[in-house]
Amino acid sequence: MKKIYKAHILYTKEQNRFEVLENGYIVVEDGCVVDISTDLSALKCSDAEVTDFGNRLLIPAMNDLHVHAPQYRNQGIAMDLELLPWLQNYTFPEEMKYADTAYAERMYRRFVRDLWRFGTMRASVFATIHTESTRLLMHLFQEAGMGALVGKVGMDACCPPKLRESVEEMVKGYESLIMDDGQPTGNHQFPPLVQPIITPRFIPSCTPEMLRACGQLAAKYHLPVQSHLSENKDEIALVRELEPNSTCYGDAYNQYGLFGQTPTVMAHCVWTEGEELELMKRNGVVVAHCPTSNFNVASGMAPIRRFLDEGLHVGLGSDISGGHDLSIFQVMVYAIQVSKMYYQQNHECPFLTLSEAFWLATKSAGSFFGHVGSFEPGYEFDALVIDDSDLNHDNYTLLERLERYIYLGDDRQIVHRFCRGNEIAEPEVS
Ligand code: GUN
Ligand code: FE
């Protein structure tokens, strides 16, 4: 089924500049972009039905490369501690509640609905150790038609007993989620929209046996991996004690097959440098930059410009509830502001531009999910239609309109959301 959408289209094929199509057309077939132009008659399939969005903006949907669904209740509270005591005092007690699937359903429905609200159509998500509430979260994404990599969390150390699971239970739980996976999408050109991702929480909460089993699962089932890396100085010191045979934090993951052996995303990397940076480059490990979280739990400022100059692959994450804001548009603003503060303090590199922040949130982060995050032919059509008429009260250019939406807008201006070519309706909450 072919469709043509008409609107003012903005996207970032490249890091350094926006593509801007005033009154542009985009042809979508079987969930993918087939062609894009301002000239209707020059398009492939120009005979398909046109949906005209008028004076609205059409942009790629947002991707969240790092978020904790079971920390949703804690969003916007408990910001007075650094990482390790923050986990023990606020985060672990909340995550324990997810043994109860009724509680999980109530919270997870709100979480998925609010991702939808803010235009995030793909997310790489941490759940908890609990297999049944993780399965439920996967089903909620499937029901919504939104894309997600969902991680049942591996934990068996340095946490309350109720958040520990034996290695055998962890493997059994994962295998049951993997067997569940592969819901029929009706279209086999694509992988399933929702898939498990191997998720050891971080080195301190896993025994070597747990880490080894996670690496083996990733290899056996060709699954991606997510975790946390070099976020906080006390955490890094603890990892040095726990893994004395590794040369750096990243090397500890690497020794267990959890550092790029399959597609891997590591959140934070605030203090990554030297050998760890080289290893990430060599292994193609992706950075999930979470600037709001890095501020809130006082972790530090990640040197994103340096990472980009070194050729590292970077995306943005909300990291709820270390981060307080689920909107990736707001995370873009914080990423730019953090880079400006970093620049002032270090004078070693220019700060991030708007096109770079937008590219990080769309094409760069989207590539962790496939051909996602751009409107080039062959990309999956994940898109948002923005009605900024309430913000557009003067003769702003299209780029100024997008910039104002990023800085000033919210969910009220998002009037249509598409994932893999389908318009996504508001998910139900209970
Ligand atoms: N490191 C280990 N677990 C967590 C978590 O839940 N949030 C953050 N920000 N860092 C972590
Ligand atoms: Fe996190």
Side-chain angles (χ1 to χ4, degrees), residues 314-332:
V314 183
L316 299 181
S318 66
D319 194 25
I320 300 297
S321 64
H324 61 281
D325 205 322
L326 194 56
S327 164
I328 294 295
F329 294 102
Q330 280 305 302
V331 175
M332 272 187 225

Side-chain angles (χ1 to χ4, degrees), residues 372-411:
V372 171
S374 181
F375 289 152
E376 293 153 72
Y379 272 74
E380 295 185 37
F381 186 65
D382 282 26
L384 306 176
V385 178
I386 309 289
D387 181 349
D388 65 338
S389 46
D390 57 337
L391 304 173
N392 181 22
H393 54 76
D394 197 12
N395 290 324
Y396 294 109
T397 65
L398 292 175
L399 254 182
E400 286 171 340
R401 283 174 57 184
L402 178 61
E403 185 168 12
R404 278 172 66 81
Y405 173 69
I406 291 169
Y407 275 84
L408 305 178
D410 55 41
D411 56 311

Side-chain angles (χ1 to χ4, degrees), residues 66 68 71 83 86-87 91-92 95 126 201-202 205 228 231 235 268 293 297 319-320 322-323:
H66 183 77
H68 296 262
Q71 295 175 22
L83 178 65
W86 176 84
L87 286 170
T91 305
F92 292 160
E95 292 195 8
F126 280 57
R201 182 177 207 112
F202 68 157
S205 60
H228 297 90
E231 175 179 6
E235 169 208 16
H268 307 299
S293 172
V297 283
D319 194 25
I320 300 297

